[in-house]
Amino acid sequence: MKKYIGRRLLQLIPIILTITFLSFGLMQTAAGDAVDALYDNALSGVTEQVKEEKRAELGLDKPFIIQYGNWIKGIVGGDMGVSYISKKPVFETFISKLSSTIYLTITSILLTVFISIPLGILAAVKRNQFIDYFIRMMSFIGNSMPSFFISLLLIYFFALRLNIFPVMGNSEGWKSIILPAFTLALAMSSKYTRQVRAAILEELNKDYVIGGRARGIQESVIFYGSVLKTVMINLVTLLALSIGSLLGGTAIVETIFMWDGVGKLAVDSITMRDYPMIQAYVIWMALIYLVVNLITDILYHYLDPRINIVEGE
């Protein structure tokens, strides 16, 4: 197990180098840079000479490969740099936004689990009955609506018309999290409900279930002892991908609700060409997906001992 974890962690080095190099290169191809974005937004009418002096101060006048090399040296030394826009350390700024994103992720995942698993089970048990058709229709509608549209609907009805929840921001405690979390949970629940239903129906038609019924084993024992456990293993993969995506920040939802997380930070940084902050976000995304996939593989092993994650070592 330790060798497997160590090998997976070592894979992070070439992944981060490749992703950061590509993202750094793509940013160089964009029209303008951080200095242009900074002064254009300020509407200060500064001269090109002032801009060039600012580029020299930030190191933006150097060739691409030198800029990237200097950034890598800083990362190796534990320094992620300073934001071009806020002038604050990148690491401290990123960490200060991360707690909001983690809070939103946990709340959204819990809502998704509490909604999708019971509805998926109910739809499978009541197959081809009215409740099954109703759940499938609602999940289809929820899966078809984009998150920004759901966000606007929730804001209009629950914030503007009913005045139950705040319109945006995360300064009013638990009330602030409800609308953005439910927006994310609705889309995920619509997908997972159908996945749970399909997985349960597939398992119910397998030989071990038919054999268990023939031996007189109670339906509840077969369902909760075998079928549901197998379905949960499949659901772990879907949840892991969603957790990775949510921890990376849901840019659209965070921006609409003005939720001060890493997703909104990434959008603002891209808009302002804040290269050090964008690179920090890229590293975070690579770390998240590798760690989440690693945890998923380990969970697979413990949920189903037949899966040997150290095979081939």
Side-chain angles (χ1 to χ4, degrees):
M1 178 71 74
K2 292 182 179 179
K3 290 182 179 179
Y4 175 79
I5 294 175
R7 187 175 72 246
R8 290 291 295 270
L9 292 177
L10 285 175
Q11 292 174 358
L12 185 62
I13 297 176
I15 290 174
I16 287 182
L17 288 175
T18 301
I19 293 177
T20 55
F21 183 83
L22 291 175
S23 63
F24 210 93
L26 288 173
M27 286 187 292
Q28 298 293 323
T29 63
D33 56 18
V35 174
D36 290 323
L38 179 63
Y39 286 118
D40 290 346
N41 288 337
L43 298 175
S44 56
V46 297
T47 63
E48 284 298 322
Q49 182 179 355
V50 173
K51 289 185 178 182
E52 290 300 327
E53 291 175 357
K54 189 65 176 179
R55 289 189 180 96
E57 177 186 340
L58 298 176
L60 296 177
D61 59 331
K62 296 180 173 61
F64 157 72
I65 195 65
I66 295 178
Q67 291 185 44
Y68 181 75
N70 291 336
W71 179 78
I72 286 293
K73 289 179 183 178
I75 291 296
V76 173
D79 181 14
M80 300 188 75
V82 176
S83 170
Y84 291 163
I85 308 303
S86 66
K87 309 300 181 185
K88 297 179 180 179
V90 169
F91 182 77
E92 293 180 8
T93 303
F94 195 87
I95 292 298
S96 68
K97 309 293 184 181
L98 187 58
S99 58
S100 296
T101 295
I102 293 175
Y103 181 31
L104 181 59
T105 297
I106 294 174
T107 307
S108 303
I109 289 295
L110 289 177
L111 283 173
T112 300
V113 170
F114 289 140
I115 293 172
S116 59
I117 293 180
L119 290 180
I121 293 174
L122 182 60
V125 172
K126 303 294 183 180
R127 181 184 183 185
N128 294 333
Q129 297 182 28
F130 172 77
I131 188 65
D132 178 31
Y133 290 130
F134 180 76
I135 292 174
R136 288 161 62 187
M137 180 185 69
M138 296 305 296
S139 65
F140 177 78
I141 294 174
N143 203 33
S144 301
M145 293 190 297
S147 58
F148 74 87
F149 182 68
I150 297 175
S151 301
L152 296 177
L153 285 178
L154 293 178
I155 290 174
Y156 177 74
F157 286 107
F158 293 100
L160 299 179
R161 295 297 298 272
L162 299 177
N163 198 25
I164 299 175
F165 302 109
V167 176
M168 57 185 62
N170 50 355
S171 59
E172 296 190 26
W174 65 270
K175 284 188 176 182
S176 301
I177 193 72
I178 297 300
L179 293 185
F182 192 74
T183 299
L184 297 171
L186 183 61
M188 291 189 295
S189 297
S190 300
K191 177 176 64 176
Y192 293 156
T193 298
R194 298 173 70 89
Q195 293 283 351
V196 171
R197 177 187 181 275
I200 289 176
L201 292 178
E202 182 181 355
E203 289 298 315
L204 289 175
N205 291 322
K206 289 189 175 179
D207 292 339
Y208 77 90
V209 175
I210 298 174
R213 289 169 177 164
R215 291 193 296 271
I217 300 176
Q218 293 183 357
E219 192 74 22
S220 60
V221 175
I222 296 174
F223 186 82
Y224 292 105
S226 299
V227 173
L228 197 58
K229 182 178 179 181
T230 304
V231 171
M232 290 303 103
I233 294 176
N234 297 330
L235 192 62
V236 165
T237 302
L238 295 174
L239 288 175
L241 293 174
S242 294
I243 290 173
S245 177
L246 291 173
L247 285 175
T250 51
I252 294 177
V253 173
E254 288 188 6
T255 301
I256 290 176
F257 287 100
M258 295 300 290
W259 188 262
D260 200 16
V262 296
K264 183 177 179 300
L265 176 65
V267 172
D268 294 340
S269 300
I270 292 171
T271 303
M272 299 298 293
R273 306 289 195 273
D274 194 349
Y275 299 158
M277 196 66 72
I278 297 172
Q279 291 296 89
Y281 179 77
V282 169
I283 291 178
W284 169 249
M285 290 298 296
L287 282 170
I288 280 300
Y289 275 101
L290 183 71
V291 171
V292 167
N293 286 332
L294 176 59
I295 294 175
T296 302
D297 290 343
I298 295 173
L299 285 176
Y300 268 174
H301 176 67
Y302 286 105
L303 289 173
D304 189 351
R306 294 173 300 176
I307 301 176
N308 183 12
I309 64 174
V310 294
E311 185 176 354
E313 288 189 351

